[in-house]
Amino acid sequence: MDLPSIVPPPHGQAWPEAMADAAGLNWMWLEEAARFAAENETAWPYDLRLHLESGYFEPPPLNALLGPIQPRGPANGLVLRRGFKVATWGDTEQVDFTFSAAKSYLSLLAGIAVMDGLISDLDEPVGRTVDDGGFDSVQNRGVTWRHLLQNTSEWEGELFGKSDVIDRNRSLGLEGKGRKGDLRPLGPPGTHWEYNDVRVNRLSLALLRRFGRPLPEVFAERIMQPIGASPDWSWHGYSTSSVDVGGRMIESVPGGSHWGGGTLIHAEDQARIGLLMLRGGDWGRRRILPAEWIAESLRPCALNPSYGLLWWLASRYEHAPEGSFFASGAGGNLTWVAPRQEIVAVLRWTDPGAADTFIRLIMQAVEQ
């Protein structure tokens, strides 16, 4: 394959495309993958408010929405190879909430904080530099930045009207199928992996404290504008999540849309984020994130080898090639990055149960 590796031009200019054969891909398998993703749309209804208020994540009153939500659109997505578009389906500029894919965006912001010296050591207790009472208790004083980024913090408390107990002992495999978790005794920080939205939101607030600015502003200036993203994305907090930072009330944003709010974004901007990660933090001749941070983000957690620093890793999917990683959100929102194959794929509203088959089809296109 002699296709050059490119950095796509900024939003508003045509994104270069390449035919499958020029990209070293089998066109039949590539077309089949795109067709499969489009035809296997998530079972989630278009009315997301109705879906969330129905008790999908948890029963009333625990499921009360705190942030904005809007109806979703149809399934869509795209595949990049070496930065070229090689396949698209649906409206890839359809702006929708992306649920927990936003957790990976918080990981990018943590990398910026490390680069700027706002976090000097991931293994330092957060309470040493974030003095807002959230890390004063015996249970929480040992929580480090790494614990929060790996979902191993065991942080205890209530934040913005939601208790960590809601997601304590949460099983992702049970979501939408009944009770997803049960109250359990907490261990010391770093001893238990748990996918807990309240604790991720506690990380977001801690990052806000360190930056002293709204995280969406930082994300725009340090990530999205440098990679040429559109102005169409936005990141929303809760009606309860404004906090005083140096005398200024600033809205803290969540790492998902579990209770409304979160990131509204389209597939093309998500593909740019995936391409930034594939390139190890470089965008053309500009260093956006340290290569060391990207590598650290993708180092498997000892308690869950399918997870890094708010990024899912290859072992989550049977057919994902070694080195793959994912930003993943409920409802079928997935950004897949395969560095060795130089592929970025974005799935919006494709049935999560179809993701591994999609990956298999793309890998067949690569290998044929």
Side-chain angles (χ1 to χ4, degrees), residues 1-4 6 15-28 30-31 79-88 365:
M1 180 179 62
D2 57 3
L3 189 74
I6 65 160
W15 195 314
E17 300 181 4
M19 299 295 290
D21 56 353
L25 301 171
N26 180 286
W27 69 269
M28 289 187 295
L30 183 62
E31 286 192 4
V79 180
L80 306 180
R81 187 146 210 220
R82 293 196 167 183
F84 287 87
K85 280 186 186 177
V86 293
T88 64

Side-chain angles (χ1 to χ4, degrees), residues 171-212:
S171 170
L172 294 177
L174 293 177
E175 288 193 345
K177 302 175 183 177
R179 187 176 179 87
K180 64 180 179 182
D182 296 289
L183 186 64
R184 63 170 178 82
L186 292 173
T191 61
H192 185 80
W193 188 90
E194 182 169 275
Y195 203 75
N196 191 303
D197 275 52
V198 173
R199 293 172 185 156
V200 172
N201 292 348
R202 181 57 262 197
L203 166 67
S204 181
L205 176 56
L207 289 170
L208 167 59
R209 300 288 192 196
R210 295 305 295 139
F211 281 110

Side-chain angles (χ1 to χ4, degrees), residues 3 21 72 79 83 95 137-138 153 172 234 241 252 254 265 267 271 346:
L3 189 74
D21 56 353
R72 71 170 181 89
V79 180
V95 177
S137 70
V138 172
S153 73
L172 294 177
S234 55
S241 67
S252 187
I265 193 169
V346 179

Side-chain angles (χ1 to χ4, degrees), residues 274-298:
L275 195 57
L276 173 67
M277 290 293 292
L278 183 149
R279 301 275 169 80
D282 271 341
W283 194 261
R285 298 180 179 178
R286 183 170 181 178
R287 170 60 61 183
I288 307 297
L289 284 160
E292 297 80 7
W293 176 257
I294 305 300
E296 190 64 34
S297 298
L298 306 178

